[in-house]
Amino acid sequence: MNTKLIKTGKTVEGKEILAVELTNTKGTYVKIYNYGAIISEFVVTNKQGKKQDIVLGFDEFDQYVSEDYLAAYPYLGAVVGRYANRIKNGQFTLDGKAYQLAKNNGADCLHGGVSGFDKKVWEVLSTIDPSLTLRYVSPAGEENFPGTLTVDLTFKLTDEDELILDYKATTDEATIINLTHHGYFNLSPEGGSVKDHIHRMPASNYLKQDDNYVVDGTLIPVEGTIHDFLAPKPIGQDWDPQEGYDQTYVLDKEYGELTLASETSEPKSGLTLAVYTTEPIAHFYTGKYLDVKNGRNGSGYNAYEGFCIETQHHPNAVNIPTFPNTILRPGEVYSQTTIYKIEPTTIS
């Protein structure tokens, strides 16, 4: 097991950009930047015995902050917060006080606003083999959220090919919080559309969304719909090819229990990505809006060439009293664990 810290020689807003490489005894390798807590590379061994990167990303750090990339920004590999997904009209009320957030996605607030945790330089707290702990302190009023929020995020790579993400957060006054990781995965050795990946999710219900993908609190059974992944099937089997999936699923689980959120396999590589989480929700996104130039090895990333499993609390929950609580108060600790585990193909 090995952890290596690399100075990139780059800065953002005067803060040093560092890369941290985690490698296990199997040669599985993960590269993480302290900017946005971005997982830039996740290299595993496929069934042909070849090394394969299963996440979308860039060869050079500068590409993550380039004007072209930010103009059609897809949050490649980043942690998003202070509040993942969409908040209706960018508005919420907390302890009787109304807050107006940025409307950075139509009329709504998406992924924490204009400059969320995905665009921040995190402090490297420790690099103990084989793990990395990052910290970001979000000051009160940042993106108009109340309270100073301190977030610690630990990445740990095991010899079982598990990449474990452990989140902890505290605040000095009441605030709202909903964190997730926005990695795009593609398990094919050749890249391209993920429509033939085999996918399943233990989720009997999904959440109704408006035309801008904002949920209103209504649960809809997946049975008899294109959203039914209770049994394994190709991602593209039932989808609208002009839309793909951008849908929030309610996992069949006990609240807070660490269980399977999804399992996705690709026959050519023989790889399966299993995602486990303590969170109640998995937002499944197949990259309709992907439009990235000069990705890994100079290749572009187009629509439907990556999928995201965004584990989190219910979107817009701060405005829907029947949803699980996303309010954090002084003296409380927000915690979440999500695991990305690479396994031999088990579903077909």
Side-chain angles (χ1 to χ4, degrees):
M1 308 291 280
N2 181 261
T3 301
K4 184 178 180 182
L5 189 148
I6 301 168
K7 294 189 176 186
T8 67
K10 310 294 183 180
T11 61
V12 172
E13 297 180 349
K15 297 179 180 179
E16 185 179 22
I17 303 304
L18 302 169
V20 177
E21 300 175 344
L22 307 178
T23 308
N24 70 12
T25 57
K26 294 181 179 179
T28 298
Y29 161 90
V30 178
K31 182 178 181 179
I32 303 159
Y33 287 111
N34 67 327
Y35 174 83
I38 289 171
I39 298 174
S40 180
E41 298 179 44
F42 193 159
V43 178
V44 302
T45 305
N46 64 26
K47 72 177 182 181
Q48 287 87 26
K50 296 181 179 179
K51 295 296 184 182
Q52 178 183 332
D53 197 338
I54 61 170
V55 299
L56 308 191
F58 291 114
D59 293 322
E60 302 294 336
F61 172 76
D62 285 347
Q63 295 170 277
Y64 286 102
V65 293
S66 70
E67 289 186 13
D68 285 348
Y69 172 64
L70 295 175
Y73 184 56
Y75 301 87
L76 278 189
V79 167
V80 295
R82 185 177 298 200
Y83 207 95
N85 218 299
R86 293 161 179 84
I87 296 176
K88 183 68 174 178
N89 295 321
Q91 297 174 341
F92 68 95
T93 299
L94 178 57
D95 295 340
K97 182 177 179 181
Y99 292 87
Q100 180 63 62
L101 308 173
K103 296 181 179 182
N104 64 317
N105 186 254
D108 307 306
C109 183
L110 174 65
H111 291 333
V114 175
S115 182
F117 293 2
D118 54 289
K119 295 187 180 79
K120 305 301 182 184
V121 179
W122 296 53
E123 177 188 358
V124 175
L125 283 189
S126 68
T127 55
I128 301 171
D129 282 346
S131 69
L132 161 68
T133 299
L134 300 175
R135 170 173 289 177
Y136 180 65
V137 180
S138 176
E142 183 173 71
E143 290 292 327
N144 213 30
F145 288 98
T148 299
L149 184 74
T150 301
V151 180
D152 288 352
L153 171 56
T154 298
F155 298 86
K156 182 178 181 180
L157 180 64
T158 74
D159 275 338
E160 287 70 46
D161 281 346
E162 299 168 315
L163 181 62
I164 303 170
L165 278 64
D166 276 319
Y167 305 74
K168 304 287 184 188
T170 57
T171 185
D172 63 354
E173 63 178 292
T175 191
I176 62 173
I177 182 172
N178 193 19
L179 305 179
T180 194
H181 177 252
H182 208 290
Y184 290 77
F185 294 90
N186 189 314
L187 305 180
S188 169
E190 300 153 4
S193 173
V194 298
K195 65 183 178 65
D196 294 327
H197 285 47
I198 308 299
H199 184 70
R200 75 177 180 96
M201 301 179 76
S204 297
N205 295 280
Y206 67 97
L207 298 180
K208 183 180 178 182
Q209 299 173 160
D210 67 16
D211 290 342
N212 200 39
Y213 309 101
V214 184
V215 305
D216 67 0
T218 304
L219 273 68
I220 303 174
V222 300
E223 185 177 1
T225 76
I226 66 170
H227 301 290
D228 188 349
F229 285 98
L230 289 170
K233 68 178 182 181
I235 289 174
Q237 175 176 300
D238 299 323
W239 73 2
D240 177 343
Q242 302 303 315
E243 293 293 327
Y245 290 97
D246 195 348
Q247 191 66 55
T248 301
Y249 291 80
V250 182
L251 299 172
D252 297 334
K253 62 182 298 183
E254 294 294 323
Y255 184 81
E257 182 183 10
L258 181 63
T259 58
L260 184 74
S262 70
E263 193 174 32
T264 312
S265 295
E266 201 282 327
K268 293 179 183 177
S269 67
L271 296 173
T272 292
L273 174 69
V275 181
Y276 299 85
T277 190
T278 55
E279 294 295 274
I281 289 295
H283 188 89
F284 181 45
Y285 176 50
T286 54
K288 174 184 176 180
Y289 298 105
L290 267 177
D291 182 17
V292 175
K293 308 295 190 294
N294 299 315
R296 184 88 63 235
N297 298 319
S299 61
Y301 300 131
N302 301 309
Y304 318 118
E305 293 188 355
F307 69 92
C308 304
I309 306 293
E310 301 166 51
T311 54
Q312 59 192 271
H313 269 52
H314 297 54
N316 199 32
V318 68
N319 292 315
I320 303 173
T322 56
F323 278 175
N325 175 53
T326 55
I327 298 171
L328 183 67
R329 299 185 181 277
E332 299 175 341
V333 178
Y334 166 94
S335 63
Q336 185 216 130
T337 298
T338 291
I339 301 172
Y340 300 106
K341 181 174 174 58
I342 302 301
E343 303 171 337
T345 296
T346 57
I347 62 176
S348 61

